[in-house]
Amino acid sequence: MNDIELASLPAGRVTLHDARRRAHRDVALESFQIGVFPVTEEQLAELLGVTASHPRTPAVNVSWFRAARFCNAASEWEGLDPAYTFEGEDVTWQVDSDGYRLPTEAEWEYACRAGSTGAHYGPLAEIAWTAADGVSAPQPVGSRLPNLNGLFDTLGNVWEWCWDLLDPARYDEYRVFR
């Protein structure tokens, strides 16, 4: 399989905003690893047996369940313990697993912000693919500048799934995506 490159991030803190409740909450994080690039069509195709029409672009139209299953498949491919167990629609995170997993919302925000305090970590034209670029499809991963954590495409290009439920009171079982 085309390797998944990971970055190790140190423990830290991030503040999350809950728009419905108009509240902020501070989250302490332990150190963790996260992908340097979004998962590509090629990586998804190799592990889940789907067609990759644009191998170096981020995988799109992937359900949260398929993303979690991809994490388990990547873990098994590398001889790691899968992070998730599935019982129908119920998915349980095995937190002691050494396998690949989706980041929590707080981890994703911390990784994306990379210490920045603004809405983005640099000039958008240099760090992200947006509607202003006039593109109508995802662009190859890593073709804009990384953030200070060395992560590419954390802003713009495609949405990425997180582990957390978005807002169960409002959206039931829908998961966070960034």
Side-chain angles (χ1 to χ4, degrees):
M1 179 187 77
N2 195 353
D3 288 340
I4 297 173
E5 187 178 344
L6 298 175
S8 295
L9 301 186
R13 303 187 81 72
V14 66
T15 302
L16 298 180
H17 175 69
D18 181 329
R20 184 174 63 84
R21 293 183 187 100
R22 296 187 180 128
H24 292 84
R25 65 183 168 99
D26 195 40
V27 180
L29 297 167
E30 295 179 11
S31 61
F32 63 99
Q33 291 186 312
I34 192 165
V36 170
F37 303 97
V39 171
T40 64
E41 281 193 20
E42 180 178 44
Q43 291 167 323
L44 189 75
E46 286 178 323
L47 285 179
L48 299 183
V50 297
T51 303
S53 51
H54 304 287
R56 289 294 305 150
T57 63
V60 294
N61 300 321
V62 176
S63 70
W64 183 88
F65 284 101
R66 182 165 261 194
R69 289 189 189 285
F70 172 84
C71 291
N72 277 1
S75 299
E76 290 169 0
W77 179 267
E78 294 198 18
L80 303 172
D81 295 325
Y84 305 115
T85 55
F86 293 83
E87 289 184 34
E89 296 286 312
D90 293 328
V91 181
T92 304
W93 173 14
Q94 307 303 317
V95 295
D96 293 334
S97 162
D98 62 354
Y100 292 101
R101 64 178 179 81
L102 299 171
T104 64
E105 177 184 21
E107 288 170 336
W108 192 95
E109 288 289 339
Y110 177 76
C112 176
R113 293 177 190 178
S116 65
T117 56
H120 41 82
Y121 50 84
L124 282 179
E126 296 175 13
I127 64 170
W129 290 103
T130 68
D133 294 308
V135 296
S136 60
Q139 299 301 298
V141 299
S143 53
R144 295 285 200 210
L145 295 176
N147 67 14
L148 291 177
N149 286 328
L151 307 179
F152 292 85
D153 303 310
T154 56
L155 295 177
N157 214 5
V158 296
W159 293 99
E160 298 178 73
W161 287 114
C162 295
W163 165 255
D164 309 66
L165 293 171
L166 182 58
D167 180 351
R170 180 180 274 174
Y171 300 108
D172 195 32
E173 294 292 315
Y174 200 73
R175 300 289 178 156
V176 171
F177 57 92
R178 294 282 184 241

